[in-house]
Amino acid sequence: MDKFIVRGGKKLKGEVSVSGAKNASLALMPAALLASGISKLINTPQLNDVYTMMKLLKELGVKAKFVREDSFGENDIVELDTRNITSQVAPYEHVKKMRASVYVLGPLLTRFGYAKVSLPGGCAWGPRPINLHLEALKKMGAEIELTEGYIVTKSKKLKGAKINFDVSSVGATGNTLMAASLAKGTTVINNAAMEPEITNLAEFLSKMGARIDGKGTSTLTIEGVDELNSSEIATIPDRIEAGTLLIAAAMTNGEITLTGISDFYINSVISKLEDSGCMIKADGDKIYLKSPGDIKPTDVTTSIFPGFPTDMQAQWTAYMSIADGASKVTDTIYLDRFKHVPELVRLGADIQVNENTAVIKGVKKLKGAKVMSTDLRASASLVLAGLAAQGTTEILRVYHLDRGYQRIEQKLKVLGADIERTAGAEF
Ligand code: EPU
């Protein structure tokens, strides 16, 4: 199992490009199932979660491959040939690796009238239910049974319905949007997720021939059509990767420019970085950040887009651990998402978790130690802490990072970080 060795204290400087968004790709890829043909997804990041989704789609009969090299000499277009779908079953072996596998449910059911998808189960930081996905499909006429760990859904032709989500859910909005695109009649989704990844999905569906109004708002109206055609779309930039890199510069007294992303995607993070003393200039698809040196303690509370993302909560907690005073970080989306805290404490941070709030007393310096990754964003927070710490930090189990960050250590190295990947025997 690979690990990272980070020798902290290097100021990050320079320019680096942002990859395509993991969470957009994970919705765009299953959407290709809605049509028979060849779809192309441009700017797809090479990540383990993307490979897991490719494997799952292959299991269903899709021919999936990366076909174009990007400027780093790596491929960035995924081609999905859906002309010969042979199965509507998403097995446990794939779904257990990645919860986003549940995105195949809506497209398979609406196109083929049947889908059997393993229940995703728990997650590293607590329960992540899918009741809203199932309730919406039921309202559209699906019969749903839970047997032997699988969701088995059947329906003749789904019917348009009025769906009012009690909670704004990215996944449930995505699944309903895909299902409604081929349903009979009109579906209205109220309290729909407004995350840019969902808007990217809605744009792709429109290019495939779906009729969707209200993109980017909390009310989506979908007029079902009989058939969709395969198409192509560019994946939006990864706002969480961008936010993580900006914090890396802020924590190391650095000065960086990100390319390939506009401030629209991360205004909430930029505004909090400014509150903490950073100087930021956004211009077109570039974002420049200069670290404040002394970091002002700045509270954040996560919320749905355009609020501060839960996927940046762990990284912000790491940042505040070296602020000049005390701050609070509250997660309202996932109340238990604090697995990174005990590991940050091993690096010298002073953090107490009180219900869904981390109370952080900034320390002058973090000190390198051996720490363990527990999930994707927790791992990112440990890398950030390691970059700012005195001495050497060993981060074990970086496979969590490989699920969602493309070439993270290469990008950090370009910026001057002292970080290397080694094959570690520990697990
Ligand atoms: N929820 C329900 N019932 C449901 C679905 C969600 O109660 O049926 C609740 C959840 O428990 C949570 C809230 O609704 O409190 C929001 O969850 P959401 O459904 O929006 O999350 P998701 O679709 O499972 C996506 C991202 C996550 C990100 C969340 C929130 C993908 C593949 N995953 O998950 O990304 O944290 O939205 O923004 O898009 C990550 O990238 O590290 C990651 C975990």
Side-chain angles (χ1 to χ4, degrees):
M1 239 175 266
D2 288 0
K3 62 182 177 184
F4 280 162
I5 299 178
V6 185
R7 280 171 280 270
K10 296 270 185 302
K11 289 184 184 186
L12 296 197
K13 276 207 161 123
E15 187 172 294
V16 76
S17 67
V18 174
S19 300
K22 166 182 85 83
N23 289 345
S25 293
L26 294 179
L28 294 173
M29 293 169 77
L33 288 168
L34 289 162
S36 172
I38 300 175
S39 285
K40 283 188 180 176
L41 306 177
I42 300 150
N43 197 31
T44 302
Q46 294 211 346
L47 307 169
N48 284 350
D49 274 8
V50 164
Y51 294 129
T52 301
M53 184 59 86
M54 280 169 100
K55 278 191 200 137
L56 170 58
L57 294 178
K58 282 182 183 170
E59 181 86 24
L60 307 176
V62 179
K63 291 196 182 96
K65 56 181 181 194
F66 270 99
V67 293
R68 187 184 79 175
E69 286 198 350
D70 68 8
S71 51
F72 280 85
E74 289 189 10
N75 297 316
D76 77 336
I77 294 185
V78 163
E79 194 176 84
L80 301 167
D81 180 347
T82 55
R83 287 175 297 182
N84 188 24
I85 303 296
T86 48
S87 164
Q88 287 81 39
V89 181
Y92 177 64
E93 290 63 42
H94 295 290
V95 181
K96 74 170 187 207
K97 283 197 195 140
M98 187 181 69
R99 301 177 52 82
S101 306
V102 79
Y103 267 138
V104 301
L105 183 62
L108 287 175
L109 175 66
T110 198
R111 179 157 168 226
F112 299 99
Y114 177 77
K116 183 174 170 186
V117 176
S118 172
L119 266 169
C123 144
W125 68 79
R128 288 176 69 189
I130 55 157
N131 58 310
L132 298 173
H133 303 233
L134 302 185
E135 281 161 24
L137 294 174
K138 218 174 191 171
K139 265 202 140 176
M140 297 172 80
E143 283 173 37
I144 301 180
E145 249 184 75
L146 300 181
T147 56
E148 296 169 353
Y150 278 79
I151 311 155
V152 182
T153 56
K154 284 182 208 155
S155 162
K156 282 212 174 73
K157 172 102 176 150
L158 290 177
K159 291 189 203 78
K162 191 169 175 187
I163 313 285
N164 299 315
F165 285 129
D166 289 340
V167 178
S168 173
S169 159
V170 174
T173 302
N175 243 331
T176 309
L177 193 53
M178 291 190 272
S181 296
L182 284 179
K184 190 172 166 48
T186 309
T187 299
V188 178
I189 309 176
N190 287 317
N191 199 18
M194 295 188 290
E195 271 65 9
E197 293 75 18
I198 289 296
T199 308
N200 200 193
L201 170 65
E203 301 282 4
F204 182 42
L205 294 173
S206 295
K207 289 188 100 184
M208 294 172 80
R211 294 170 59 191
I212 303 170
D213 268 352
K215 285 178 213 135
T217 75
S218 62
T219 304
L220 294 168
T221 306
I222 307 109
E223 202 69 58
V225 295
D226 287 339
E227 213 178 47
L228 293 170
N229 306 305
S230 52
S231 187
E232 62 177 63
I233 189 141
T235 311
I236 58 166
D238 197 309
R239 59 197 168 103
I240 307 303
E241 183 199 29
T244 304
L245 291 168
L246 290 177
I247 293 185
M251 284 181 80
T252 57
N253 206 2
E255 188 177 356
I256 66 165
T257 300
L258 299 181
T259 61
I261 186 162
S262 80
D263 55 348
F264 162 80
Y265 294 101
I266 48 167
N267 265 322
S268 57
V269 176
I270 287 179
S271 131
K272 287 292 176 183
L273 282 165
E274 284 173 337
D275 291 350
S276 74
C278 293
M279 208 269 271
I280 299 193
K281 275 192 219 151
D283 183 16
D285 71 347
K286 286 192 175 186
I287 301 173
Y288 163 88
L289 176 143
K290 187 171 178 357
S291 164
D294 285 338
I295 301 162
K296 284 189 209 149
T298 308
D299 297 349
V300 303
T301 298
T302 67
S303 63
I304 57 174
F305 190 83
F308 192 94
T310 172
D311 293 342
M312 286 298 302
Q313 182 262 107
Q315 299 89 314
W316 195 266
T317 303
Y319 181 36
M320 285 301 111
S321 72
I322 52 165
D324 195 9
S327 60
K328 285 184 182 161
V329 175
T330 302
D331 201 324
T332 66
I333 309 289
Y334 296 117
L335 309 185
D336 297 327
R337 198 178 193 178
F338 291 100
K339 281 273 163 65
H340 43 286
V341 168
E343 299 301 303
L344 290 172
V345 168
R346 302 195 70 250
L347 294 171
D350 181 347
I351 310 172
Q352 302 272 344
V353 178
N354 190 358
E355 296 188 338
N356 60 333
T357 298
V359 180
I360 307 153
K361 285 191 196 133
V363 295
K364 285 237 151 15
K365 274 277 165 215
L366 296 173
K367 294 212 173 80
K370 239 183 201 180
V371 287
M372 180 84 85
S373 297
T374 50
D375 64 72
L376 172 58
R377 308 304 172 189
S379 316
S381 78
L382 298 179
V383 171
L384 295 177
L387 291 170
Q390 253 170 4
T392 303
T393 300
E394 269 185 48
I395 301 162
L396 310 180
R397 298 193 181 178
V398 297
Y399 62 84
H400 290 292
L401 270 163
D402 295 333
R403 287 188 58 178
Y405 288 89
Q406 182 173 19
R407 297 186 293 255
I408 182 85
E409 76 275 27
Q410 287 180 37
K411 288 193 183 190
L412 290 169
K413 266 187 191 164
V414 165
L415 297 173
D418 186 345
I419 178 168
E420 62 183 292
R421 178 188 290 263
T422 64
E426 278 146 300
F427 47 84

Short mmCIF file of all heavy atoms in Angstrom, two decimals, residues 96-142:
data_model
loop_
_atom_site.label_atom_id
_atom_site.label_comp_id
_atom_site.label_asym_id
_atom_site.label_seq_id
_atom_site.Cartn_x
_atom_site.Cartn_y
_atom_site.Cartn_z
N LYS A 96 -19.74 -1.66 -3.37
CA LYS A 96 -19.12 -1.50 -2.04
C LYS A 96 -17.88 -0.61 -2.12
O LYS A 96 -17.50 0.02 -1.15
CB LYS A 96 -18.79 -2.87 -1.42
CG LYS A 96 -17.62 -3.56 -2.05
CD LYS A 96 -17.19 -4.77 -1.26
CE LYS A 96 -15.91 -5.30 -1.87
NZ LYS A 96 -15.61 -6.66 -1.73
N LYS A 97 -17.26 -0.56 -3.29
CA LYS A 97 -16.05 0.28 -3.44
C LYS A 97 -16.40 1.74 -3.55
O LYS A 97 -15.59 2.62 -3.28
CB LYS A 97 -15.31 -0.11 -4.73
CG LYS A 97 -14.53 -1.37 -4.60
CD LYS A 97 -13.54 -1.44 -5.75
CE LYS A 97 -13.00 -2.84 -5.86
NZ LYS A 97 -12.87 -3.27 -7.24
N MET A 98 -17.60 2.03 -4.04
CA MET A 98 -17.92 3.43 -4.32
C MET A 98 -19.43 3.64 -4.32
O MET A 98 -20.15 3.05 -5.12
CB MET A 98 -17.36 3.78 -5.71
CG MET A 98 -17.48 5.21 -6.05
SD MET A 98 -16.85 5.51 -7.68
CE MET A 98 -18.08 4.68 -8.67
N ARG A 99 -19.89 4.51 -3.41
CA ARG A 99 -21.32 4.73 -3.26
C ARG A 99 -21.96 5.34 -4.51
O ARG A 99 -23.13 5.12 -4.79
CB ARG A 99 -21.58 5.65 -2.08
CG ARG A 99 -21.06 5.12 -0.78
CD ARG A 99 -21.31 6.12 0.31
NE ARG A 99 -22.71 6.50 0.30
CZ ARG A 99 -23.68 5.80 0.87
NH1 ARG A 99 -23.41 4.71 1.51
NH2 ARG A 99 -24.93 6.21 0.79
N ALA A 100 -21.17 6.11 -5.27
CA ALA A 100 -21.73 6.77 -6.45
C ALA A 100 -22.22 5.77 -7.50
O ALA A 100 -22.90 6.13 -8.45
CB ALA A 100 -20.71 7.71 -7.07
N SER A 101 -21.89 4.48 -7.30
CA SER A 101 -22.39 3.43 -8.21
C SER A 101 -23.91 3.44 -8.28
O SER A 101 -24.50 2.99 -9.26
CB SER A 101 -21.96 2.04 -7.72
OG SER A 101 -20.58 1.99 -7.54
N VAL A 102 -24.55 3.98 -7.25
CA VAL A 102 -26.01 3.99 -7.21
C VAL A 102 -26.59 4.87 -8.32
O VAL A 102 -27.77 4.78 -8.65
CB VAL A 102 -26.50 4.41 -5.79
CG1 VAL A 102 -26.44 5.90 -5.57
CG2 VAL A 102 -27.88 3.86 -5.50
N TYR A 103 -25.72 5.68 -8.95
CA TYR A 103 -26.15 6.51 -10.09
C TYR A 103 -26.61 5.67 -11.30
O TYR A 103 -27.22 6.21 -12.21
CB TYR A 103 -25.00 7.41 -10.55
CG TYR A 103 -24.97 8.79 -9.94
CD1 TYR A 103 -23.77 9.35 -9.52
CD2 TYR A 103 -26.12 9.57 -9.85
CE1 TYR A 103 -23.71 10.63 -9.00
CE2 TYR A 103 -26.07 10.85 -9.32
CZ TYR A 103 -24.87 11.38 -8.90
OH TYR A 103 -24.82 12.65 -8.40
N VAL A 104 -26.29 4.39 -11.36
CA VAL A 104 -26.75 3.61 -12.51
C VAL A 104 -28.22 3.22 -12.37
O VAL A 104 -28.86 2.79 -13.33
CB VAL A 104 -25.89 2.33 -12.78
CG1 VAL A 104 -24.44 2.71 -13.03
CG2 VAL A 104 -26.00 1.33 -11.65
N LEU A 105 -28.75 3.37 -11.14
CA LEU A 105 -30.13 2.92 -10.88
C LEU A 105 -31.16 3.64 -11.77
O LEU A 105 -31.94 2.99 -12.48
CB LEU A 105 -30.44 3.16 -9.39
CG LEU A 105 -31.79 2.71 -8.87
CD1 LEU A 105 -31.96 1.21 -9.01
CD2 LEU A 105 -31.93 3.10 -7.38
N GLY A 106 -31.17 4.97 -11.73
CA GLY A 106 -32.16 5.75 -12.49
C GLY A 106 -32.07 5.47 -14.00
O GLY A 106 -33.09 5.13 -14.62
N PRO A 107 -30.88 5.58 -14.61
CA PRO A 107 -30.78 5.34 -16.06
C PRO A 107 -31.19 3.93 -16.47
O PRO A 107 -31.92 3.75 -17.45
CB PRO A 107 -29.30 5.57 -16.37
CG PRO A 107 -28.76 6.34 -15.24
CD PRO A 107 -29.62 6.10 -14.05
N LEU A 108 -30.75 2.91 -15.72
CA LEU A 108 -31.10 1.53 -16.11
C LEU A 108 -32.61 1.31 -16.02
O LEU A 108 -33.24 0.77 -16.94
CB LEU A 108 -30.39 0.51 -15.21
CG LEU A 108 -28.88 0.34 -15.44
CD1 LEU A 108 -28.29 -0.62 -14.40
CD2 LEU A 108 -28.58 -0.17 -16.86
N LEU A 109 -33.20 1.77 -14.92
CA LEU A 109 -34.63 1.55 -14.72
C LEU A 109 -35.45 2.25 -15.79
O LEU A 109 -36.36 1.67 -16.38
CB LEU A 109 -35.03 2.05 -13.32
CG LEU A 109 -36.52 1.98 -13.02
CD1 LEU A 109 -37.00 0.52 -12.97
CD2 LEU A 109 -36.85 2.68 -11.70
N THR A 110 -35.13 3.50 -16.06
CA THR A 110 -35.96 4.26 -16.99
C THR A 110 -35.78 3.77 -18.43
O THR A 110 -36.71 3.80 -19.22
CB THR A 110 -35.70 5.79 -16.86
OG1 THR A 110 -36.78 6.50 -17.44
CG2 THR A 110 -34.39 6.23 -17.47
N ARG A 111 -34.59 3.27 -18.77
CA ARG A 111 -34.39 2.83 -20.16
C ARG A 111 -34.82 1.38 -20.36
O ARG A 111 -35.37 1.03 -21.41
CB ARG A 111 -32.92 3.01 -20.57
CG ARG A 111 -32.67 2.54 -21.98
CD ARG A 111 -31.46 3.14 -22.65
NE ARG A 111 -31.18 2.38 -23.87
CZ ARG A 111 -30.00 1.96 -24.24
NH1 ARG A 111 -28.93 2.27 -23.52
NH2 ARG A 111 -29.85 1.27 -25.36
N PHE A 112 -34.58 0.52 -19.35
CA PHE A 112 -34.83 -0.91 -19.56
C PHE A 112 -36.00 -1.46 -18.74
O PHE A 112 -36.36 -2.62 -18.88
CB PHE A 112 -33.56 -1.72 -19.23
CG PHE A 112 -32.39 -1.34 -20.10
CD1 PHE A 112 -31.42 -0.47 -19.63
CD2 PHE A 112 -32.28 -1.81 -21.40
CE1 PHE A 112 -30.35 -0.09 -20.43
CE2 PHE A 112 -31.22 -1.44 -22.21
CZ PHE A 112 -30.25 -0.57 -21.72
N GLY A 113 -36.56 -0.64 -17.84
CA GLY A 113 -37.69 -1.11 -17.03
C GLY A 113 -37.28 -2.02 -15.89
O GLY A 113 -38.13 -2.59 -15.20
N TYR A 114 -35.98 -2.18 -15.66
CA TYR A 114 -35.51 -3.07 -14.60
C TYR A 114 -34.10 -2.65 -14.19
O TYR A 114 -33.28 -2.29 -15.03
CB TYR A 114 -35.46 -4.52 -15.12
CG TYR A 114 -34.90 -5.52 -14.13
CD1 TYR A 114 -35.67 -5.97 -13.06
CD2 TYR A 114 -33.60 -6.00 -14.25
CE1 TYR A 114 -35.15 -6.89 -12.13
CE2 TYR A 114 -33.07 -6.92 -13.34
CZ TYR A 114 -33.86 -7.34 -12.28
OH TYR A 114 -33.34 -8.23 -11.37
N ALA A 115 -33.86 -2.68 -12.89
CA ALA A 115 -32.48 -2.48 -12.41
C ALA A 115 -32.32 -3.15 -11.06
O ALA A 115 -33.25 -3.14 -10.23
CB ALA A 115 -32.18 -0.98 -12.27
N LYS A 116 -31.19 -3.79 -10.88
CA LYS A 116 -30.89 -4.42 -9.60
C LYS A 116 -29.52 -3.90 -9.17
O LYS A 116 -28.50 -4.14 -9.83
CB LYS A 116 -30.86 -5.94 -9.80
CG LYS A 116 -30.63 -6.71 -8.52
CD LYS A 116 -30.76 -8.21 -8.77
CE LYS A 116 -30.29 -8.97 -7.56
NZ LYS A 116 -30.24 -10.41 -7.75
N VAL A 117 -29.52 -3.14 -8.08
CA VAL A 117 -28.28 -2.47 -7.66
C VAL A 117 -28.03 -2.78 -6.18
O VAL A 117 -28.94 -2.64 -5.35
CB VAL A 117 -28.42 -0.93 -7.86
CG1 VAL A 117 -27.19 -0.19 -7.33
CG2 VAL A 117 -28.64 -0.60 -9.33
N SER A 118 -26.84 -3.20 -5.88
CA SER A 118 -26.50 -3.51 -4.49
C SER A 118 -26.69 -2.25 -3.62
O SER A 118 -26.39 -1.14 -4.06
CB SER A 118 -25.04 -3.96 -4.44
OG SER A 118 -24.64 -4.10 -3.10
N LEU A 119 -27.21 -2.45 -2.42
CA LEU A 119 -27.33 -1.32 -1.48
C LEU A 119 -25.92 -0.87 -1.10
O LEU A 119 -25.09 -1.71 -0.75
CB LEU A 119 -28.06 -1.75 -0.22
CG LEU A 119 -29.56 -1.53 -0.16
CD1 LEU A 119 -30.14 -2.27 1.04
CD2 LEU A 119 -29.92 -0.06 -0.09
N PRO A 120 -25.64 0.43 -1.12
CA PRO A 120 -24.27 0.88 -0.85
C PRO A 120 -23.74 0.59 0.56
O PRO A 120 -22.56 0.45 0.74
CB PRO A 120 -24.34 2.39 -1.09
CG PRO A 120 -25.63 2.67 -1.75
CD PRO A 120 -26.53 1.53 -1.50
N GLY A 121 -24.61 0.52 1.55
CA GLY A 121 -24.11 0.26 2.92
C GLY A 121 -23.53 1.50 3.56
O GLY A 121 -23.73 2.61 3.06
N GLY A 122 -22.76 1.31 4.64
CA GLY A 122 -22.26 2.45 5.44
C GLY A 122 -21.11 3.15 4.75
O GLY A 122 -20.71 2.79 3.65
N CYS A 123 -20.60 4.14 5.42
CA CYS A 123 -19.49 4.90 4.86
C CYS A 123 -18.55 5.21 6.02
O CYS A 123 -18.94 5.12 7.18
CB CYS A 123 -20.08 6.13 4.19
SG CYS A 123 -19.15 7.60 4.31
N ALA A 124 -17.31 5.57 5.71
CA ALA A 124 -16.29 5.75 6.75
C ALA A 124 -16.72 6.72 7.85
O ALA A 124 -16.28 6.62 8.97
CB ALA A 124 -15.00 6.22 6.10
N TRP A 125 -17.59 7.70 7.51
CA TRP A 125 -17.92 8.69 8.55
C TRP A 125 -19.39 8.65 8.96
O TRP A 125 -19.95 9.63 9.41
CB TRP A 125 -17.50 10.08 8.14
CG TRP A 125 -18.30 10.64 7.00
CD1 TRP A 125 -19.55 11.19 7.08
CD2 TRP A 125 -17.91 10.73 5.64
NE1 TRP A 125 -19.96 11.60 5.84
CE2 TRP A 125 -18.98 11.34 4.94
CE3 TRP A 125 -16.77 10.35 4.92
CZ2 TRP A 125 -18.93 11.58 3.57
CZ3 TRP A 125 -16.73 10.59 3.56
CH2 TRP A 125 -17.80 11.18 2.91
N GLY A 126 -20.07 7.49 8.75
CA GLY A 126 -21.43 7.39 9.26
C GLY A 126 -22.42 7.04 8.18
O GLY A 126 -22.04 6.72 7.05
N PRO A 127 -23.72 7.08 8.50
CA PRO A 127 -24.73 6.63 7.56
C PRO A 127 -24.90 7.60 6.39
O PRO A 127 -24.76 8.81 6.57
CB PRO A 127 -26.02 6.61 8.40
CG PRO A 127 -25.77 7.55 9.52
CD PRO A 127 -24.29 7.58 9.76
N ARG A 128 -25.11 7.07 5.21
CA ARG A 128 -25.42 7.93 4.06
C ARG A 128 -26.57 7.27 3.32
O ARG A 128 -26.37 6.50 2.38
CB ARG A 128 -24.18 8.09 3.16
CG ARG A 128 -23.12 8.97 3.82
CD ARG A 128 -21.88 9.05 2.99
NE ARG A 128 -22.05 9.78 1.75
CZ ARG A 128 -21.15 9.82 0.78
NH1 ARG A 128 -20.02 9.17 0.92
NH2 ARG A 128 -21.36 10.50 -0.32
N PRO A 129 -27.80 7.57 3.75
CA PRO A 129 -28.97 6.87 3.22
C PRO A 129 -29.23 7.20 1.75
O PRO A 129 -28.73 8.20 1.23
CB PRO A 129 -30.12 7.39 4.10
CG PRO A 129 -29.66 8.71 4.61
CD PRO A 129 -28.16 8.63 4.72
N ILE A 130 -30.05 6.34 1.09
CA ILE A 130 -30.47 6.64 -0.28
C ILE A 130 -32.00 6.63 -0.39
O ILE A 130 -32.55 6.44 -1.46
CB ILE A 130 -29.84 5.67 -1.32
CG1 ILE A 130 -30.15 4.22 -0.96
CG2 ILE A 130 -28.37 5.89 -1.49
CD1 ILE A 130 -30.06 3.32 -2.17
N ASN A 131 -32.66 6.85 0.77
CA ASN A 131 -34.12 6.84 0.79
C ASN A 131 -34.73 7.82 -0.20
O ASN A 131 -35.75 7.53 -0.84
CB ASN A 131 -34.64 7.13 2.22
CG ASN A 131 -34.14 8.47 2.75
OD1 ASN A 131 -32.95 8.76 2.70
ND2 ASN A 131 -35.05 9.28 3.24
N LEU A 132 -34.10 8.99 -0.38
CA LEU A 132 -34.69 10.00 -1.28
C LEU A 132 -34.65 9.55 -2.74
O LEU A 132 -35.57 9.81 -3.50
CB LEU A 132 -33.95 11.34 -1.12
CG LEU A 132 -34.01 11.97 0.27
CD1 LEU A 132 -33.11 13.19 0.35
CD2 LEU A 132 -35.43 12.36 0.64
N HIS A 133 -33.59 8.83 -3.11
CA HIS A 133 -33.49 8.30 -4.49
C HIS A 133 -34.69 7.36 -4.71
O HIS A 133 -35.37 7.42 -5.73
CB HIS A 133 -32.23 7.46 -4.70
CG HIS A 133 -30.93 8.14 -4.41
ND1 HIS A 133 -29.91 8.17 -5.33
CD2 HIS A 133 -30.46 8.79 -3.34
CE1 HIS A 133 -28.87 8.81 -4.82
NE2 HIS A 133 -29.19 9.19 -3.59
N LEU A 134 -34.90 6.47 -3.72
CA LEU A 134 -35.91 5.42 -3.89
C LEU A 134 -37.33 6.01 -3.84
O LEU A 134 -38.19 5.63 -4.64
CB LEU A 134 -35.75 4.34 -2.80
CG LEU A 134 -34.37 3.65 -2.79
CD1 LEU A 134 -34.33 2.52 -1.77
CD2 LEU A 134 -34.00 3.11 -4.18
N GLU A 135 -37.55 6.98 -2.93
CA GLU A 135 -38.88 7.59 -2.84
C GLU A 135 -39.25 8.29 -4.14
O GLU A 135 -40.39 8.22 -4.59
CB GLU A 135 -38.93 8.59 -1.67
CG GLU A 135 -39.09 7.90 -0.32
CD GLU A 135 -38.70 8.79 0.85
OE1 GLU A 135 -38.74 10.03 0.70
OE2 GLU A 135 -38.33 8.23 1.91
N ALA A 136 -38.28 8.96 -4.75
CA ALA A 136 -38.56 9.68 -6.00
C ALA A 136 -38.92 8.68 -7.11
O ALA A 136 -39.89 8.87 -7.84
CB ALA A 136 -37.34 10.51 -6.42
N LEU A 137 -38.15 7.58 -7.21
CA LEU A 137 -38.43 6.60 -8.27
C LEU A 137 -39.80 5.95 -8.03
O LEU A 137 -40.55 5.68 -8.97
CB LEU A 137 -37.33 5.54 -8.32
CG LEU A 137 -35.94 6.07 -8.75
CD1 LEU A 137 -34.89 4.97 -8.64
CD2 LEU A 137 -35.98 6.62 -10.19
N LYS A 138 -40.13 5.73 -6.76
CA LYS A 138 -41.43 5.15 -6.41
C LYS A 138 -42.55 6.08 -6.87
O LYS A 138 -43.55 5.65 -7.45
CB LYS A 138 -41.50 4.98 -4.90
CG LYS A 138 -42.19 3.71 -4.47
CD LYS A 138 -42.07 3.58 -2.99
CE LYS A 138 -42.51 2.21 -2.55
NZ LYS A 138 -42.20 1.97 -1.16
N LYS A 139 -42.38 7.36 -6.61
CA LYS A 139 -43.39 8.35 -7.02
C LYS A 139 -43.59 8.35 -8.52
O LYS A 139 -44.65 8.70 -9.03
CB LYS A 139 -42.97 9.76 -6.58
CG LYS A 139 -43.56 10.16 -5.25
CD LYS A 139 -43.57 11.66 -5.12
CE LYS A 139 -44.85 12.15 -4.46
NZ LYS A 139 -44.84 13.59 -4.24
N MET A 140 -42.52 7.97 -9.23
CA MET A 140 -42.61 7.93 -10.70
C MET A 140 -43.15 6.58 -11.19
O MET A 140 -43.17 6.32 -12.39
CB MET A 140 -41.23 8.21 -11.31
CG MET A 140 -40.73 9.60 -10.96
SD MET A 140 -39.03 9.85 -11.47
CE MET A 140 -39.30 10.17 -13.18
N GLY A 141 -43.54 5.74 -10.25
CA GLY A 141 -44.22 4.49 -10.62
C GLY A 141 -43.37 3.23 -10.51
O GLY A 141 -43.83 2.15 -10.89
N ALA A 142 -42.17 3.34 -9.98
CA ALA A 142 -41.32 2.14 -9.89
C ALA A 142 -41.77 1.25 -8.74
O ALA A 142 -42.19 1.74 -7.69
CB ALA A 142 -39.86 2.55 -9.66
#
